[in-house]
Structures are given as C-alpha cells and as structure tokens.
Amino acid sequence: MPSYVTDANLTSYELAFCGAMAGVFSRVVIAPLDVVKIRMQLQTHRTHFKFRAAENSDIQYSNIRQALKRIVREEGIRGLYKGNMPAEYLYLSYSAVEFWAYKELEQKVEAIDVNHKVPHTVKTFGSGMIAGCIATAATYPFDLLRTRFAVNKGPQMYNTSVTQAMVDIYHREGPRGFYRGIWPAMIQIMPYMGLLFSSYDVFAKSFKKLRDDNVLSKGYKPTHDMLSGAMSGFFSKMAVYPFDLVRKRLQMEGSYRAESNQSWLSCLMSIMKREGVRSLYKGLAPSLLKVAPANAVTFMVFEETKDLLILFKEVK
C-alpha cells in the first residue's frame, strides 16, 4: 500500500517537481530563524542545565528575540537573509531529490514485498531514511555554503556570488572542503527523515480517515496537511538535534580554524567537555520554531502542487 505522499497517480519526476516547489516556499518562510539558529549553534560559551542563565559577556545571541533585534541593528534586514541564495538552491534541489528518491524507493520496496509481510510504517521509515541520505549527499555543498554565508558578518569572507564562494573554498580547502561535517549530517538525517516521513504518513492518513468519515470538512485538507507536517517535523527534530549542531561546527572549521580535520565524534566530545552537555542543544528553540512552519509549508505546498498536477492530467 503506497504512503500518503505517493498515493497520487504521479511519476517520480512529477513528485520531484512538487518537492522543488515546496522547498522554495518553505525556505522563504523560515530564513530569519535559520540564520538565528546557526548563529546560536556556533557560539562556544559553556552552558548549564539551569532555569536562569548566568551572565556571560561572550554570549552574542542569548534568545530568539534578542538575536533577531541584534542582527537587524548591526546588519540590517538583509542580515536575516544571509545565505538565502545557496539555501534556496539547497531547499529546491534537496526537496526535489528527496521526494523523487522516496517514490522510487517505495516502488522498489513494494515490488519486493509482494506478500506485504513488512509493516507499512517500517517501509515508510526506511524509504524516508534512504531518500534523506541520497538528497543530503547530492546537495551538501549548498548546505555548507548556507552556513558560511549565514555566519559571515564582515567583508573578508563571502560577500560575493555563490559561484565565487565555491571557487574560493575549492582553492583554499580542496574538494573535501565542500563536505565538511557530512558524517554527522548523514547520522542525523537517517533517523530524522525516517521519523519525518513515517510520522507524517500516520498523521496525514489519520486526518484523511476523519475527512472520509465526514468528521472533518474536506475543505480543510490544506490545514490538515500543514498540521501533519508541523507535528512530524517537531518530534523528528528533537530526536536528532545534537548531530545538527556538530555538523554546523564542522562546516565552519575550514573557514576560520586551524584544526580542520577532526572527526564528528571528537567534535561532539569536545563540545560536551568544553561547553557542557546542554550546549549540544544551542539554538534548539529557533530550530523548533523553524521546523514546524517549514515542514507545515513544505507538505502543504507539496500536496497542493500534487493535486494541481493531477487536475491538469485529468483535464488532458
């Protein structure tokens, strides 16, 4: 049985187009929170499990509101959208590859499991997990550029085009420089995308059943898709957040640090030792505030684009 995402009569490439549209729209919504999250993640002060944080003059971004105000004051409104162009490329290409791969994987799994012995949730989890890995590997350089542009506050780094920034990274760090932090990204993305697709399938199908039973109005389907995306994104992000922070730290190493070859595990241990275990969750608040609307918009736009394509095909 196909999942809620792929139950329409659309090809993998048509779903890739739907995913690309969803990625572009979701990025526009969450860009400022993404910049705040990255700035918080890259602060190296020690944190503790306390209800009230100690005063620390080294903390530039202490909470979401203060960070937003400081960035606007020091860098203007455009500061909230630093790294937006590589991020748009990232979201467009990532979502396109992800939904294409998910459809292809689901079809292959269904063809192998002809007797339907594998639980449906396991299929959606596995397909989402592998699709996320494929999309991450294919688009990772854009993720690295997004991080470096978002952190840049001076004229010395990337105030040029995306192409020039890529040339600069290649000359200074070599081809491997485009993939700094990819291992924690892979470790993070496997459970995250698996949980995201499997939980979205559960939530979305539950809403669909309530609509089919006339408990909920069919006119609110976009809202139901948004709620399903928001809830699945929220819980999935909570589970894998420390790996996201390690990934951001490793992405910045080649930019301004000498020790640019540490592994993701040594980076993780170093953060816990120098900054405390709670530091693995720096930037969690803006990340959660970002992931809910991002996934809500992503899946809503995806489903609406999918319905529109189906309508066009029926008219033909």
Side-chain angles (χ1 to χ4, degrees):
M1 180 178 67
S3 66
Y4 186 84
V5 168
T6 59
D7 63 0
N9 186 27
L10 295 175
T11 67
S12 303
Y13 296 102
E14 289 168 332
L15 286 179
F17 173 78
C18 297
M21 293 301 99
V24 169
F25 278 97
S26 66
R27 173 61 199 179
V28 173
V29 173
I30 55 85
L33 285 172
D34 195 37
V35 171
V36 170
K37 182 202 75 167
I38 292 172
R39 297 280 181 95
M40 285 183 168
Q41 285 180 324
L42 297 178
Q43 293 182 131
T44 58
H45 62 277
R46 174 170 285 275
T47 58
H48 304 278
F49 285 101
K50 294 181 179 179
F51 290 104
R52 185 176 180 181
E55 293 294 326
N56 190 332
S57 59
D58 295 330
I59 303 177
Q60 291 184 300
Y61 310 107
S62 57
N63 58 63
I64 299 172
R65 183 180 177 183
Q66 177 270 337
L68 288 170
K69 290 174 66 176
R70 178 166 186 162
I71 292 171
V72 171
R73 183 177 69 250
E74 295 179 352
E75 306 167 47
I77 295 294
R78 293 181 63 183
L80 297 175
Y81 290 89
K82 283 188 173 177
N84 195 51
M85 283 309 298
E88 286 287 2
Y89 299 149
L90 169 66
Y91 274 62
L92 185 152
S93 55
Y94 184 93
S95 296
V97 173
E98 178 183 51
F99 283 103
W100 171 84
Y102 184 81
K103 172 78 172 182
E104 291 288 318
L105 289 163
E106 187 178 74
Q107 288 178 328
K108 285 178 172 54
V109 170
E110 290 293 339
I112 294 171
D113 185 34
V114 291
N115 296 320
H116 304 292
K117 293 183 178 181
V118 180
H120 180 69
T121 303
V122 174
K123 293 178 185 178
T124 55
F125 182 91
S127 297
M129 180 178 69
I130 299 173
C133 287
I134 293 171
T136 298
T139 63
Y140 192 79
F142 289 129
D143 188 23
L144 181 133
L145 283 169
R146 184 253 318 238
T147 299
R148 295 197 180 181
F149 271 99
V151 171
N152 178 33
K153 297 198 294 181
Q156 70 278 14
M157 285 179 62
Y158 304 127
N159 284 334
T160 56
S161 66
V162 172
T163 303
Q164 183 58 47
M166 295 179 73
V167 170
D168 184 52
I169 292 172
Y170 181 81
H171 284 160
R172 291 193 297 110
E173 305 170 48
R176 292 180 62 183
F178 291 106
Y179 292 91
R180 292 191 185 279
I182 193 170
W183 289 117
M186 287 294 192
I187 293 170
Q188 172 207 359
I189 211 67
M190 286 192 291
Y192 176 73
M193 294 312 304
L195 287 170
L196 183 69
F197 275 95
S198 58
S199 58
Y200 175 76
D201 188 61
V202 170
F203 290 134
K205 281 188 172 178
S206 297
F207 277 117
K208 184 178 185 299
K209 186 177 187 306
L210 292 173
R211 289 196 302 271
D212 292 342
D213 294 341
N214 294 318
V215 176
L216 296 175
S217 171
K218 290 180 172 61
Y220 288 100
K221 178 182 178 296
T223 303
H224 302 156
D225 292 335
M226 289 183 72
L227 288 172
S228 299
M231 291 187 293
S232 59
F234 185 91
F235 292 116
S236 302
K237 177 60 73 173
M238 283 284 292
V240 301
Y241 188 78
F243 293 108
D244 187 38
L245 182 134
V246 171
R247 173 167 58 106
K248 290 295 184 291
R249 295 289 182 91
L250 289 174
Q251 285 178 338
M252 290 304 298
E253 277 189 346
S255 175
Y256 60 81
R257 293 182 183 176
E259 67 277 14
S260 57
N261 292 313
Q262 65 173 329
S263 67
W264 70 268
L265 183 59
S266 62
C267 181
L268 178 73
M269 299 301 293
S270 177
I271 292 169
M272 289 193 292
K273 181 178 179 180
R274 291 187 289 107
E275 304 170 39
V277 176
R278 187 171 181 261
S279 292
L280 294 175
Y281 292 89
K282 285 177 178 176
L284 177 62
S287 182
L288 292 178
L289 285 176
K290 181 192 85 168
V291 77
N295 281 290
V297 172
T298 295
F299 281 104
M300 187 273 288
V301 174
F302 175 82
E303 296 294 345
E304 291 301 297
T305 308
K306 189 172 74 174
D307 292 343
L308 193 60
L309 286 182
I310 292 171
L311 181 63
F312 284 156
K313 293 179 77 171
E314 290 175 350
V315 170
K316 290 182 179 180

